[in-house]
């Protein structure tokens, strides 16, 4: 069973997102929605996997990641990625037992 990730439509209103070029937006959306994400916004993913999923070569990914890190939007620790603003763009849905 797949996990559902809901991105708030306010994602597109974010001032920082509006400064990104299309490839940067795609990479950031990938970081937020790929199958390895979790509710903490901290998960393990290789650059090879990101390259396979997005079609970007590793040097492009590293260049874009550097921009994200300077902006404080993502951090990498080995194969781990941290998205400190991950919850900001999530649409929270509370499911009750009814």
């Amino acid at each position: 069973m797949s996990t559902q990730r809901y991105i708030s439509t306010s994602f597109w209103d974010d001032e920082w997102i509006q400064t990104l070029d299309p490839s940067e937006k795609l990479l950031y959306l990938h970081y937020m929605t790929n199958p390895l994400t979790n509710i903490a916004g901290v998960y393990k993913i290789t650059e090879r996997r990101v390259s396979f999923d997005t079609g970007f070569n590793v040097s492009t990914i590293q260049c874009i990641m550097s921009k994200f890190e300077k902006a404080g939007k993502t951090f990498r620790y080995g194969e781990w990625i941290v998205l400190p603003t991950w919850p900001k763009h999530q649409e929270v849905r509370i499911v009750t037992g009814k």
Side-chain angles (χ1 to χ4, degrees), residues 4-32:
Q4 301 297 312
R5 295 283 180 244
Y6 299 95
I7 304 299
S8 173
T9 57
S10 66
F11 173 86
W12 301 106
D13 295 326
D14 184 284
E15 289 184 32
W16 181 74
I17 296 297
Q18 292 176 1
T19 68
L20 302 178
D21 69 34
S23 58
E24 293 165 343
K25 289 176 189 174
L26 173 62
L27 186 60
Y28 197 71
L29 275 172
H30 176 269
Y31 284 144
M32 292 177 51

Side-chain angles (χ1 to χ4, degrees), residues 6 91-98:
Y6 299 95
E91 182 177 311
V92 178
R93 292 186 181 195
I94 299 174
V95 178
T96 62
K98 291 183 178 182

Side-chain angles (χ1 to χ4, degrees), residues 26 30 34-36 45 47-56:
L26 173 62
H30 176 269
N34 74 75
L36 302 174
I45 190 167
E47 288 177 338
R48 181 173 162 246
R49 170 67 188 263
V50 176
S51 176
F52 175 80
D53 289 348
T54 63
F56 298 140

Side-chain angles (χ1 to χ4, degrees), residues 2 6-7 12 28 32 42-43 48 54 59 61 66 68-69 74-76 81 85 91 95 98:
S2 68
Y6 299 95
I7 304 299
W12 301 106
Y28 197 71
M32 292 177 51
V42 178
Y43 58 92
R48 181 173 162 246
T54 63
S59 63
I61 293 165
S66 176
F68 292 173
E69 288 176 344
T74 61
F75 300 98
R76 220 169 181 21
I81 188 161
T85 59
E91 182 177 311
V95 178
K98 291 183 178 182

